[in-house]
């Protein structure tokens, strides 16, 4: 995805793209398509960076996704908002961990552990 294209998108369009990418990631994991997942990961990173670069750090717009029906969307939105909504995003990670549906539960546990041990500092 070209950076210029993301720069032209509205915040709402970026959030919609974020959701679409997370859902595609979920499908890629389901079919063990690591190449596809990695390409989608890069696209999601670009969307997050674009939201972060906008006035006031608009990653906060991802918070409503904490209630999305897709667990990958919940996970990725919680991870993306750790720096802007730390308590709320950690609560989502804990919920995912407690629910124990893989692979999201394992990813959530890993991030919670990294945060507790100081190996990851949200930016």
């Amino acid at each position: 995805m070209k950076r210029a294209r993301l720069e032209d998108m509205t915040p709402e369009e970026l959030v919609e793209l974020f959701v679409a990418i997370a859902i595609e990631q979920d499908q890629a994991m389901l079919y063990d398509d690591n190449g596809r997942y990695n390409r989608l990961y890069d696209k999601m990173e670009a969307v997050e960076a674009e939201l972060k670069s906008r006035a006031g750090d608009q990653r906060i717009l991802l918070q409503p996704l904490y209630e999305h029906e897709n667990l990958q969307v919940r996970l990725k939105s919680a991870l993306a908002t750790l720096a802007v909504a730390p308590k709320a995003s950690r609560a989502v990670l804990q919920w995912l961990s407690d629910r124990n549906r893989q692979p999201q539960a394992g990813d959530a546990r890993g991030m919670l552990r990294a945060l507790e041990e100081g190996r990851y500092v949200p930016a």
Side-chain angles (χ1 to χ4, degrees):
M1 180 160 303
K2 293 182 180 179
R3 184 92 171 139
R5 174 73 179 116
L6 293 178
E7 290 172 354
D8 294 338
M9 296 176 83
T10 67
E12 294 76 18
E13 290 171 330
L14 289 168
V15 170
E16 288 176 19
L17 180 57
F18 184 95
V19 170
I21 292 168
I23 290 171
E24 284 189 55
Q25 284 180 334
D26 200 28
Q27 289 298 306
M29 288 186 297
L30 182 65
Y31 294 104
D32 291 324
D33 190 344
N34 294 329
R36 181 174 170 215
Y37 182 89
N38 290 338
R39 288 185 298 279
L40 291 165
Y41 181 89
D42 292 342
K43 287 181 179 183
M44 182 168 281
E45 288 288 308
V47 171
E48 287 181 46
E50 180 60 30
L51 286 168
K52 182 180 179 181
S53 74
R54 298 206 177 175
D57 193 340
Q58 294 183 16
R59 290 178 293 176
I60 201 74
L61 297 174
L62 300 173
Q63 256 189 305
L65 302 179
Y66 294 171
E67 301 296 323
H68 198 277
E69 65 186 13
N70 183 285
L71 297 183
Q72 184 70 8
V73 174
R74 288 186 188 204
L75 172 68
K76 297 308 268 188
S77 62
L79 294 173
T81 57
L82 278 166
V84 294
K87 288 183 183 180
S89 59
R90 284 180 187 224
V92 173
L93 294 174
Q94 188 62 57
W95 181 87
L96 287 164
S97 175
D98 293 345
R99 182 148 176 155
N100 204 31
R101 286 209 25 219
Q102 299 300 332
Q104 291 83 13
D107 290 345
R109 273 188 216 109
M111 180 54 75
L112 288 169
R113 193 174 309 114
L115 290 165
E116 290 168 12
E117 295 172 358
R119 292 183 287 118
Y120 180 78
V121 177

